[in-house]
Amino acid sequence: MRVYADNAATTHISDNALAEMIKYYGPEYENASSLHAYGQAAADALADARRRIAACLGCDERGIIFTSGGSEADNQALISAAHLGAKKGKKHLISTAVEHHAILHTLDKLKKEGFEVTLLPVDSKGRVTAGQVEDAIREDTALVSVMFANNEIGTVMPVKEIGAVCREKKVLFHTDAVQAAGHLRINVEEMNIDMLSVSAHKFHGPKGTGLLYAKRGIALESLICGGAQEKGKRAGTENLPAIMGMATALEDACRNLDEYTARVSALRDKVIDALSKIPRSIVNGDRENRLPNNVNMCFEGIEGESLLLMLDMYGIAASSGSACTSGSLDPSHVLLAIGLPHETAHGSLRLTFSEYTTEEEVDYIIDKVPGIVAKLRDMSPVWERMMKEEKANA
Ligand SMILES: *Cc1c(COP(=O)(O)O)cnc(C)c1O
């Protein structure tokens, strides 16, 4: 059996999104900047995509610019807000210890430019509070950037409350909503969000496309020099097929959101409850404020990588840490931030589901994981030592 449980890394494209894309790669291939009638039809399609996406996100369509994905949107949001702040002498940025590397590495770059960065610690469930943000805001704070939902442990942040604090203190608020879009209800206006990043391939849209929303009055800095596309905020011919695919995928996800949430969170809870019966296992993240499709657990005494390889032999595609950190021997910064010791953080398993995940697939996972964990522990010197210590302490 083949089970794909790595949807936080990427999702497969939906039939609807693909059909829409083929149309714009094929018969409707024109450039939205061309003045002839065909070009104008492309421009109309682009405007239509912007409207449809804005309706899903509860934002002003005029604030949306299309990017090459979540990473570019995150980069542009942070760099723009930092430079806008610097013009007014504000060179302090606030974010969290559990952000995606698209945020963390951009902050490192800004630090080298002379910005001061405060990374808020998270609690054992991976959350920051609005109170922490309030306490960290200073006279010279240019931006607060807190992710909507964490890509590794699935924890959902109190975005609306953090946004309210930022509004009150008149500090710009950006959220990396890449894991949230299409998976959680988002309303930019109601949630006090000034800037928001989205990526299409996390909700059954195409890879290499995303968007940045910025509230009116925030002068985004273009990261790419060239033409005046996207109101001069993002040069380069718009990737119309991908944008149309993204709009279709997001609309479908938003339309099915209630049904998706109910069905997939039940599968998630079934897996967490079943795998929690494995001795010395830990559920990472928050059981209350959690993405509907995320399971993240640690099994003491084993290596996450070995677990992944064994699961792979049974046809189960999962992940340990994030796709960006796997391949390196360092344990995930997120698992360390929630207070796990290095040794435990190495034994993590992330399973992320989608609307296409079936009960049968989930049962297959529940059937296979305990035996694999037991087998790996049998071969593990770390586990042997733990068992000795347990006996000695008994
Ligand atoms: C995937 C992801 C990104 C990067 O998005 P890309 O479109 O792959 O560049 C950024 N932030 C989070 C939280 C993600 O999960």
Side-chain angles (χ1 to χ4, degrees), residues 8 68-72 74 100 102 147 149 151 176 178-179 199 201-202:
S68 68
S71 299
E72 186 188 329
D74 283 345
H100 189 273
M147 69 200 317
N151 47 302
D176 173 343
V178 172
Q179 289 292 329
S199 174
H201 75 103
K202 304 287 175 75

Side-chain angles (χ1 to χ4, degrees), residues 3 7 30 36 38 57 87 107 113 142 156 166 192 241 259 272 274 306 379 394:
V3 178
N7 287 279
E30 288 85 1
H36 46 69
Y38 308 106
L57 299 174
K87 282 187 194 156
L107 291 172
E113 286 182 26
V156 180
C166 293
N192 311 306
E259 196 195 318
I272 293 179
S306 328
M379 306 186 291

